[in-house]
Amino acid sequence: MTLDDAPAGTSTVDVQDHPALTVLALRSVGVTPDPYLVAELAALPIPDAVRAIERVGAPPDPPSVLRHTVGPHGSTLLLRRVTASLLDAGVLAPDTAAALADAGVRLPTLVEFLTRAAASAPTDEAAALWDAAVAAGADPRRAAVPRARAALTAGDLDTATQHADVVLTDPSSSDDDLRSAARVAATVALHRGAPSHAAAVYRWLGAARVGSDVAHAVVSLLAVGDRDTAASFVAAAGTGLPTSATARDTLVAEGMLVSVSETPTAALSSVLRACALTGPSTEDHPASVAGLLAVHLGDPRTTREVLSEAATPRARLLGAWAAMLLGDTDAAEARVRETDPDGLDRRDSLWWSGLRAAVARRRGDAGALAATIADAHRLLVEVEPDLYTVLPIGELWLAATRLGDAGRIRHAVETTSSLLASLGEPPLWATAWHWYGVQAAILASAPADLVPHARVLGALAAHSPHAAAVAAAGRCWLRVLQGEPDADEVRACTRSLERFGHAWEAARLASDAALRVDDTRTATALLQTAREITSAAAVPDTASSTGELTGREAEVAQHLVLGLTYREIGARMYISAKTVEHHVARIRRRLGAGSRSQLLSMLRAAGYGQQEERDRP
C-alpha cells in the first residue's frame, strides 16, 4: 500500500514493506544503506537486505518520501527505532546522530551519544553537535556553556555571546559555569575591540570565582590599565589546586602584572616558563603573550622563536612584525598580502593595518600609506585602544603624520597616551610608544614635540636597556635636527638601535646626520654606515643554506649531543618539548642527516657538546 499523494517524480514504498522502510529511513538521514547494516537492523538474510535496497533505489528526496509513506508520526517512530538499533549495534556516527536529531528524534540515549560526541569533536564540528544534542532533548541551560565555547572556537561570536548570556543571567548557574561563561564573554569583547567590557565582566565575576581563568582575567584587566584589580586576582591565584595548568596560568598572570612594573625583563621570564609548561595544542597558548612582551623589550628574535608554539592570526601577524624588525620586510609584506582582512576580528584587523603601514613606511610607499590610513579610519573609531595595541596604533600614528593627517588618529593616540600615563609609564609598554612619539616629531619636523617623549624615555632608561637605547637615540636625533650632529654619538646610537630591532630607524638616523654635517668625509662615513645597516637588515636573521645553524638551533644541538631528552632541553631553554622537536627536525633537514645517529655524529664532528664534556669532572 502506498499513498496517492506522494510527490511527483519520486519513488514510493509499500507501507507494509518493513525492510524497505528501514532502507528509506536510513537514506532520509543521509546514510547510504549497506546490505550488512540493513540485514542487522531489519533482522534479514543478506540477500533479502540487498533486494530491499534495490526496491527503494535512490529517491531524490528520501525524507519527503518517508513522510508521505508513513506520515509524520510514523516517520518519527521509525527513525526512533532505527536510532535505537544503530546505538545497540554500536555503528551510529556523529553526523548521522545529528541528522536524526534534526529529523525530530527525541531520545535520552541519543542525547547522551551526541553530548559525548560533541565533547570530543574537532573544533569545526563541536558547535553543530551541541545544537543537535539540544534538538534531541538536552537541557539548553546545561548545554549553554559548552555551546558557547564551541561557537567561540568556530568564530561565531554572536552565538557564543548569546549562550554565555544565558548562563550569566541565570541565578541558578554554578560558579564553574559562571567562570566559563565569563571567559567566553570577555574573549568575545576582546575580539571585537572592546577591552573595557572584558574587564567589566571579570570585575563582576570577582577574584574569588575566577579560579583557573586568572591569567585571562589579568590580561583583560591590564588591557585597560586596571592594575589594582589585576593584582587582587593574582593574589587569589595561589589558592587553587597545584596542577600544571594552575602553575602555568599563575606564571602568566604574575608575568603580566610584572610587565606594568619597573622590572620588565622579569615579565618575559615568567611567561616563558609558562610556555614550557604548556602543550603545543593548548587553547590560548601563552606563546603569543611571550612574543608580544619580547617585541616590546626589543627582542624580536625571541618573539620569532616562541611563536612556533602558536598558530592564531595574531601570532602570525606578530611573527611577521618580528621578521620586519629583524630586517625581513619581504616576509612582513608577504604576510600582509596573504592575509584576508575580512576574515579577521576587529582586534586583529588593527594589527594587520599596523603591519601594513609599517611595511609601506619602510618601503617609502606613500600611496600604500594613504590607502592604509583611509581603510583604517573606521577601525580606529570602532576599536578601543588598549595596552596591547601600542605597536599597531604607533605605526598608524607615524603613517598619518607622514601624510600630514595626524588629526585622523588623534583620539587613538591620546587614549593610548592616557592609558600609559595612568599606569605610571611602565617601561616595557611605554618605551615603544614614546619612541613612536620621537619619530612622529621627527617626521613632522617639530623638535619641540620630541622633547616630552625623550624626557619620558630618559626616565625609563634606568629600568630598561631598550628604553636607554632609544632614549639616547632620541637625544641624538634631536641634536641632529638642531644642526648639531656628533658623528661618534650617531654611530654609537645606530649600533644600539640595531641591537634592539630598530635597524631601519638606525639607518635613517645615520642618513639624517650625514645631511647635516659640514665635513664631507664624515658625511660619507655616515652614509656608509647607513648603507651597511640597510644591507645587513636586508638579510633575514636565519642560518645559511650551507648547513650553518641559527643561535637557537646551536643551543638545542649543544644539549642534544650531551644526551638530554627533549623535555630536559625544553626545561633548560624555557620552551616546550614540542618546540625542541621542531628545532631538531629543522637541524636534520639543514644538515641533511638521514637518521638520529647520523645527526648526532655530524653535530659531534662540528664540535657541539665538546666544551661541556671537557668541563665535566
Side-chain angles (χ1 to χ4, degrees), residues 142-166:
R142 296 186 63 182
V145 166
R147 291 177 86 186
R149 288 173 176 164
L152 177 61
T153 302
D156 187 351
L157 303 187
D158 290 337
T159 300
T161 300
Q162 175 186 342
H163 293 314
D165 286 349
V166 168

PDB file of all heavy atoms in Angstrom, residues 142-166:
ATOM      1  N   ARG A 142      21.845  23.567  30.623  1.00  0.00           N
ATOM      2  CA  ARG A 142      23.030  22.785  30.964  1.00  0.00           C
ATOM      3  C   ARG A 142      24.020  22.724  29.800  1.00  0.00           C
ATOM      4  O   ARG A 142      25.214  22.552  30.002  1.00  0.00           O
ATOM      5  CB  ARG A 142      22.626  21.363  31.374  1.00  0.00           C
ATOM      6  CG  ARG A 142      21.780  21.316  32.640  1.00  0.00           C
ATOM      7  CD  ARG A 142      21.546  19.879  33.082  1.00  0.00           C
ATOM      8  NE  ARG A 142      22.790  19.219  33.425  1.00  0.00           N
ATOM      9  CZ  ARG A 142      22.861  17.944  33.799  1.00  0.00           C
ATOM     10  NH1 ARG A 142      21.766  17.209  33.852  1.00  0.00           N
ATOM     11  NH2 ARG A 142      24.026  17.406  34.105  1.00  0.00           N
ATOM     12  N   ALA A 143      23.508  22.858  28.602  1.00  0.00           N
ATOM     13  CA  ALA A 143      24.380  22.808  27.422  1.00  0.00           C
ATOM     14  C   ALA A 143      24.893  24.183  27.019  1.00  0.00           C
ATOM     15  O   ALA A 143      25.694  24.289  26.089  1.00  0.00           O
ATOM     16  CB  ALA A 143      23.622  22.181  26.247  1.00  0.00           C
ATOM     17  N   ALA A 144      24.456  25.234  27.698  1.00  0.00           N
ATOM     18  CA  ALA A 144      24.796  26.594  27.273  1.00  0.00           C
ATOM     19  C   ALA A 144      26.298  26.850  27.306  1.00  0.00           C
ATOM     20  O   ALA A 144      26.857  27.482  26.399  1.00  0.00           O
ATOM     21  CB  ALA A 144      24.066  27.615  28.147  1.00  0.00           C
ATOM     22  N   VAL A 145      26.987  26.390  28.345  1.00  0.00           N
ATOM     23  CA  VAL A 145      28.423  26.642  28.453  1.00  0.00           C
ATOM     24  C   VAL A 145      29.201  25.970  27.328  1.00  0.00           C
ATOM     25  O   VAL A 145      29.963  26.637  26.609  1.00  0.00           O
ATOM     26  CB  VAL A 145      28.956  26.215  29.838  1.00  0.00           C
ATOM     27  CG1 VAL A 145      30.481  26.160  29.828  1.00  0.00           C
ATOM     28  CG2 VAL A 145      28.492  27.175  30.909  1.00  0.00           C
ATOM     29  N   PRO A 146      29.033  24.651  27.131  1.00  0.00           N
ATOM     30  CA  PRO A 146      29.783  24.055  26.007  1.00  0.00           C
ATOM     31  C   PRO A 146      29.361  24.600  24.652  1.00  0.00           C
ATOM     32  O   PRO A 146      30.192  24.694  23.735  1.00  0.00           O
ATOM     33  CB  PRO A 146      29.488  22.555  26.136  1.00  0.00           C
ATOM     34  CG  PRO A 146      28.279  22.448  26.985  1.00  0.00           C
ATOM     35  CD  PRO A 146      28.317  23.609  27.906  1.00  0.00           C
ATOM     36  N   ARG A 147      28.102  24.975  24.496  1.00  0.00           N
ATOM     37  CA  ARG A 147      27.683  25.560  23.222  1.00  0.00           C
ATOM     38  C   ARG A 147      28.358  26.920  23.013  1.00  0.00           C
ATOM     39  O   ARG A 147      28.755  27.265  21.890  1.00  0.00           O
ATOM     40  CB  ARG A 147      26.174  25.726  23.182  1.00  0.00           C
ATOM     41  CG  ARG A 147      25.402  24.421  23.122  1.00  0.00           C
ATOM     42  CD  ARG A 147      23.907  24.656  23.162  1.00  0.00           C
ATOM     43  NE  ARG A 147      23.358  24.918  21.846  1.00  0.00           N
ATOM     44  CZ  ARG A 147      22.102  25.271  21.625  1.00  0.00           C
ATOM     45  NH1 ARG A 147      21.262  25.448  22.649  1.00  0.00           N
ATOM     46  NH2 ARG A 147      21.660  25.470  20.392  1.00  0.00           N
ATOM     47  N   ALA A 148      28.497  27.686  24.083  1.00  0.00           N
ATOM     48  CA  ALA A 148      29.169  28.982  23.982  1.00  0.00           C
ATOM     49  C   ALA A 148      30.637  28.795  23.605  1.00  0.00           C
ATOM     50  O   ALA A 148      31.167  29.496  22.741  1.00  0.00           O
ATOM     51  CB  ALA A 148      29.062  29.736  25.310  1.00  0.00           C
ATOM     52  N   ARG A 149      31.293  27.826  24.256  1.00  0.00           N
ATOM     53  CA  ARG A 149      32.702  27.567  23.943  1.00  0.00           C
ATOM     54  C   ARG A 149      32.868  27.117  22.489  1.00  0.00           C
ATOM     55  O   ARG A 149      33.779  27.568  21.781  1.00  0.00           O
ATOM     56  CB  ARG A 149      33.245  26.477  24.866  1.00  0.00           C
ATOM     57  CG  ARG A 149      33.459  26.906  26.304  1.00  0.00           C
ATOM     58  CD  ARG A 149      33.827  25.683  27.107  1.00  0.00           C
ATOM     59  NE  ARG A 149      34.153  25.990  28.480  1.00  0.00           N
ATOM     60  CZ  ARG A 149      34.199  25.082  29.447  1.00  0.00           C
ATOM     61  NH1 ARG A 149      33.938  23.814  29.163  1.00  0.00           N
ATOM     62  NH2 ARG A 149      34.507  25.423  30.681  1.00  0.00           N
ATOM     63  N   ALA A 150      32.000  26.202  22.074  1.00  0.00           N
ATOM     64  CA  ALA A 150      32.108  25.676  20.709  1.00  0.00           C
ATOM     65  C   ALA A 150      31.867  26.770  19.680  1.00  0.00           C
ATOM     66  O   ALA A 150      32.571  26.854  18.666  1.00  0.00           O
ATOM     67  CB  ALA A 150      31.115  24.532  20.515  1.00  0.00           C
ATOM     68  N   ALA A 151      30.885  27.619  19.921  1.00  0.00           N
ATOM     69  CA  ALA A 151      30.599  28.708  18.984  1.00  0.00           C
ATOM     70  C   ALA A 151      31.773  29.685  18.919  1.00  0.00           C
ATOM     71  O   ALA A 151      32.133  30.181  17.850  1.00  0.00           O
ATOM     72  CB  ALA A 151      29.324  29.433  19.397  1.00  0.00           C
ATOM     73  N   LEU A 152      32.388  29.956  20.080  1.00  0.00           N
ATOM     74  CA  LEU A 152      33.544  30.855  20.108  1.00  0.00           C
ATOM     75  C   LEU A 152      34.694  30.270  19.300  1.00  0.00           C
ATOM     76  O   LEU A 152      35.328  30.962  18.499  1.00  0.00           O
ATOM     77  CB  LEU A 152      33.982  31.083  21.554  1.00  0.00           C
ATOM     78  CG  LEU A 152      35.233  31.942  21.751  1.00  0.00           C
ATOM     79  CD1 LEU A 152      35.021  33.339  21.193  1.00  0.00           C
ATOM     80  CD2 LEU A 152      35.598  32.008  23.235  1.00  0.00           C
ATOM     81  N   THR A 153      34.950  28.980  19.490  1.00  0.00           N
ATOM     82  CA  THR A 153      36.032  28.332  18.756  1.00  0.00           C
ATOM     83  C   THR A 153      35.763  28.352  17.257  1.00  0.00           C
ATOM     84  O   THR A 153      36.689  28.489  16.447  1.00  0.00           O
ATOM     85  CB  THR A 153      36.196  26.882  19.238  1.00  0.00           C
ATOM     86  OG1 THR A 153      36.448  26.882  20.641  1.00  0.00           O
ATOM     87  CG2 THR A 153      37.352  26.198  18.524  1.00  0.00           C
ATOM     88  N   ALA A 154      34.492  28.216  16.892  1.00  0.00           N
ATOM     89  CA  ALA A 154      34.120  28.222  15.471  1.00  0.00           C
ATOM     90  C   ALA A 154      34.100  29.620  14.884  1.00  0.00           C
ATOM     91  O   ALA A 154      33.886  29.789  13.678  1.00  0.00           O
ATOM     92  CB  ALA A 154      32.755  27.562  15.295  1.00  0.00           C
ATOM     93  N   GLY A 155      34.302  30.645  15.722  1.00  0.00           N
ATOM     94  CA  GLY A 155      34.318  32.018  15.238  1.00  0.00           C
ATOM     95  C   GLY A 155      32.955  32.670  15.144  1.00  0.00           C
ATOM     96  O   GLY A 155      32.826  33.772  14.614  1.00  0.00           O
ATOM     97  N   ASP A 156      31.929  32.003  15.686  1.00  0.00           N
ATOM     98  CA  ASP A 156      30.573  32.552  15.673  1.00  0.00           C
ATOM     99  C   ASP A 156      30.375  33.361  16.953  1.00  0.00           C
ATOM    100  O   ASP A 156      29.827  32.869  17.946  1.00  0.00           O
ATOM    101  CB  ASP A 156      29.553  31.419  15.567  1.00  0.00           C
ATOM    102  CG  ASP A 156      28.124  31.926  15.386  1.00  0.00           C
ATOM    103  OD1 ASP A 156      27.906  33.147  15.507  1.00  0.00           O
ATOM    104  OD2 ASP A 156      27.229  31.086  15.136  1.00  0.00           O
ATOM    105  N   LEU A 157      30.842  34.603  16.944  1.00  0.00           N
ATOM    106  CA  LEU A 157      30.849  35.416  18.157  1.00  0.00           C
ATOM    107  C   LEU A 157      29.446  35.754  18.645  1.00  0.00           C
ATOM    108  O   LEU A 157      29.208  35.824  19.859  1.00  0.00           O
ATOM    109  CB  LEU A 157      31.649  36.703  17.925  1.00  0.00           C
ATOM    110  CG  LEU A 157      33.107  36.517  17.472  1.00  0.00           C
ATOM    111  CD1 LEU A 157      33.823  37.859  17.453  1.00  0.00           C
ATOM    112  CD2 LEU A 157      33.836  35.539  18.372  1.00  0.00           C
ATOM    113  N   ASP A 158      28.503  35.978  17.728  1.00  0.00           N
ATOM    114  CA  ASP A 158      27.136  36.302  18.139  1.00  0.00           C
ATOM    115  C   ASP A 158      26.506  35.144  18.915  1.00  0.00           C
ATOM    116  O   ASP A 158      25.900  35.341  19.975  1.00  0.00           O
ATOM    117  CB  ASP A 158      26.279  36.643  16.926  1.00  0.00           C
ATOM    118  CG  ASP A 158      26.660  37.971  16.295  1.00  0.00           C
ATOM    119  OD1 ASP A 158      27.244  38.813  17.005  1.00  0.00           O
ATOM    120  OD2 ASP A 158      26.390  38.162  15.097  1.00  0.00           O
ATOM    121  N   THR A 159      26.642  33.939  18.378  1.00  0.00           N
ATOM    122  CA  THR A 159      26.063  32.773  19.049  1.00  0.00           C
ATOM    123  C   THR A 159      26.775  32.513  20.374  1.00  0.00           C
ATOM    124  O   THR A 159      26.135  32.148  21.379  1.00  0.00           O
ATOM    125  CB  THR A 159      26.164  31.534  18.145  1.00  0.00           C
ATOM    126  OG1 THR A 159      25.454  31.787  16.929  1.00  0.00           O
ATOM    127  CG2 THR A 159      25.576  30.307  18.819  1.00  0.00           C
ATOM    128  N   ALA A 160      28.079  32.669  20.404  1.00  0.00           N
ATOM    129  CA  ALA A 160      28.823  32.478  21.647  1.00  0.00           C
ATOM    130  C   ALA A 160      28.328  33.428  22.727  1.00  0.00           C
ATOM    131  O   ALA A 160      28.115  33.032  23.885  1.00  0.00           O
ATOM    132  CB  ALA A 160      30.318  32.691  21.402  1.00  0.00           C
ATOM    133  N   THR A 161      28.120  34.686  22.349  1.00  0.00           N
ATOM    134  CA  THR A 161      27.619  35.674  23.303  1.00  0.00           C
ATOM    135  C   THR A 161      26.221  35.312  23.785  1.00  0.00           C
ATOM    136  O   THR A 161      25.904  35.424  24.982  1.00  0.00           O
ATOM    137  CB  THR A 161      27.605  37.073  22.658  1.00  0.00           C
ATOM    138  OG1 THR A 161      28.928  37.424  22.271  1.00  0.00           O
ATOM    139  CG2 THR A 161      27.060  38.110  23.620  1.00  0.00           C
ATOM    140  N   GLN A 162      25.371  34.864  22.876  1.00  0.00           N
ATOM    141  CA  GLN A 162      24.004  34.502  23.219  1.00  0.00           C
ATOM    142  C   GLN A 162      23.982  33.397  24.279  1.00  0.00           C
ATOM    143  O   GLN A 162      23.267  33.500  25.288  1.00  0.00           O
ATOM    144  CB  GLN A 162      23.272  34.035  21.966  1.00  0.00           C
ATOM    145  CG  GLN A 162      21.876  33.508  22.201  1.00  0.00           C
ATOM    146  CD  GLN A 162      21.263  32.929  20.924  1.00  0.00           C
ATOM    147  OE1 GLN A 162      21.723  33.213  19.825  1.00  0.00           O
ATOM    148  NE2 GLN A 162      20.263  32.104  21.089  1.00  0.00           N
ATOM    149  N   HIS A 163      24.770  32.353  24.086  1.00  0.00           N
ATOM    150  CA  HIS A 163      24.785  31.248  25.046  1.00  0.00           C
ATOM    151  C   HIS A 163      25.445  31.665  26.362  1.00  0.00           C
ATOM    152  O   HIS A 163      25.014  31.241  27.436  1.00  0.00           O
ATOM    153  CB  HIS A 163      25.509  30.046  24.450  1.00  0.00           C
ATOM    154  CG  HIS A 163      24.782  29.421  23.289  1.00  0.00           C
ATOM    155  ND1 HIS A 163      23.434  29.145  23.311  1.00  0.00           N
ATOM    156  CD2 HIS A 163      25.228  29.002  22.071  1.00  0.00           C
ATOM    157  CE1 HIS A 163      23.077  28.593  22.165  1.00  0.00           C
ATOM    158  NE2 HIS A 163      24.138  28.500  21.389  1.00  0.00           N
ATOM    159  N   ALA A 164      26.508  32.474  26.282  1.00  0.00           N
ATOM    160  CA  ALA A 164      27.165  32.928  27.507  1.00  0.00           C
ATOM    161  C   ALA A 164      26.214  33.781  28.345  1.00  0.00           C
ATOM    162  O   ALA A 164      26.174  33.656  29.586  1.00  0.00           O
ATOM    163  CB  ALA A 164      28.431  33.715  27.163  1.00  0.00           C
ATOM    164  N   ASP A 165      25.432  34.614  27.697  1.00  0.00           N
ATOM    165  CA  ASP A 165      24.490  35.469  28.430  1.00  0.00           C
ATOM    166  C   ASP A 165      23.415  34.646  29.149  1.00  0.00           C
ATOM    167  O   ASP A 165      22.937  35.033  30.217  1.00  0.00           O
ATOM    168  CB  ASP A 165      23.823  36.459  27.469  1.00  0.00           C
ATOM    169  CG  ASP A 165      24.766  37.585  27.054  1.00  0.00           C
ATOM    170  OD1 ASP A 165      25.851  37.707  27.666  1.00  0.00           O
ATOM    171  OD2 ASP A 165      24.421  38.334  26.118  1.00  0.00           O
ATOM    172  N   VAL A 166      23.035  33.513  28.549  1.00  0.00           N
ATOM    173  CA  VAL A 166      22.070  32.631  29.212  1.00  0.00           C
ATOM    174  C   VAL A 166      22.604  32.199  30.580  1.00  0.00           C
ATOM    175  O   VAL A 166      21.885  32.191  31.586  1.00  0.00           O
ATOM    176  CB  VAL A 166      21.775  31.396  28.329  1.00  0.00           C
ATOM    177  CG1 VAL A 166      21.007  30.336  29.127  1.00  0.00           C
ATOM    178  CG2 VAL A 166      20.986  31.794  27.090  1.00  0.00           C
TER     179      VAL A 166
END
